Amino acid sequence: TVGQIIGTLNVTGQPNYRIRYHQLAGNLYAQTLTDITKETELVRQVTLQSKETQAQNIILKRKRETLEDEHAFLISIFNAIQSGILILDSAEDLQVTITNKAMQNFLNDGEDSLLKKKCFQLFGYQRRCPGCPITNINAQTNFSRMRYHQKFKEFTLTEYYTKLAGNKILLTFEDSTRR
């Protein structure tokens, strides 16, 4: 058939050629050889890169699964702690970014409604709590006691606060009413 590729030929061991036969007139035929060495090498390289990419994706998938497992484990520990925990974005803004189950239970509120609020709003204030201990926070753990009113009950909370990396603040609360 005219122009049909009937195969490839490796003539000298290095270059690869594509052979085509062309019918010229009557019983006359012409044979053309085209060097496809570059194309063959390109296909080999693309195939190799594809395999490398697949292997890297498998490794990344395994790493992601490991990180997800570790994250779930740490969250379960975080939520198993009996003290209430709040993480604030900064000492200036006081916005809640993370809270644990004990704090949610103490405040009788879900995580979604606690996040993005200011810490003082959780305790019924419109501005910083009077004598806010976070105002003069340093790198050490400090503590203070505060009274908190919730649905006709009064609690005394012992609050521990620590400055974390990234200017974040860790607050832990314990009900010290009976102490």
Side-chain angles (χ1 to χ4, degrees):
T1 309
V2 175
Q4 179 180 358
I5 298 172
I6 60 168
T8 61
L9 174 68
N10 187 336
V11 177
T12 64
Q14 183 60 16
N16 289 311
Y17 295 95
R18 180 181 7 225
I19 304 168
R20 288 188 183 192
Y21 291 95
H22 304 276
Q23 185 173 12
L24 300 174
N27 288 336
L28 295 176
Y29 292 89
Q31 177 182 17
T32 58
L33 296 174
T34 307
D35 185 355
I36 59 169
T37 304
K38 289 181 182 177
E39 290 87 352
T40 304
E41 179 59 21
L42 229 104
V43 168
R44 190 191 68 75
Q45 287 178 0
V46 168
T47 302
L48 181 62
Q49 288 174 350
S50 174
K51 289 178 181 179
E52 287 175 359
T53 301
Q54 288 173 352
Q56 289 173 347
N57 285 339
I58 289 169
I59 291 168
L60 286 174
K61 181 182 177 192
R62 288 180 182 159
K63 285 181 179 180
R64 181 178 40 84
E65 289 169 351
T66 300
L67 285 173
E68 287 172 352
D69 290 346
E70 290 173 358
H71 180 262
F73 177 67
L74 291 174
I75 292 295
S76 69
I77 291 172
F78 183 72
N79 282 320
I81 296 171
Q82 298 302 306
S83 298
I85 298 176
L86 295 174
I87 306 287
L88 307 179
D89 65 344
S90 69
E92 294 78 35
D93 193 37
L94 304 175
Q95 187 170 323
V96 177
T97 58
I98 302 171
T99 180
N100 72 340
K101 295 289 184 200
M103 195 68 197
Q104 295 165 31
N105 292 338
F106 180 76
L107 295 172
N108 291 324
D109 219 339
E111 182 179 33
D112 290 338
S113 66
L114 297 177
L115 297 181
K116 306 297 180 191
K117 285 187 178 179
K118 309 286 185 182
C119 65
F120 54 82
Q121 293 173 320
L122 304 180
F123 300 103
Y125 293 103
Q126 297 303 313
R127 295 188 181 109
R128 283 183 184 255
C129 299
C132 174
I134 298 175
T135 306
N136 297 319
I137 194 166
N138 56 34
Q140 300 175 6
T141 298
N142 300 288
F143 77 96
S144 68
R145 292 199 191 327
M146 63 181 279
R147 293 197 187 282
Y148 171 65
H149 302 278
Q150 179 188 48
K151 297 182 184 175
F152 309 109
K153 293 181 184 178
E154 184 175 292
F155 298 92
T156 302
L157 295 178
T158 302
E159 172 185 11
Y160 299 90
Y161 47 98
T162 306
K163 189 172 185 176
L164 302 174
N167 206 27
K168 297 197 180 303
I169 306 296
L170 167 67
L171 298 174
T172 57
F173 297 88
E174 294 176 359
D175 184 357
S176 55
T177 306
R178 294 187 184 110
R179 291 185 191 170

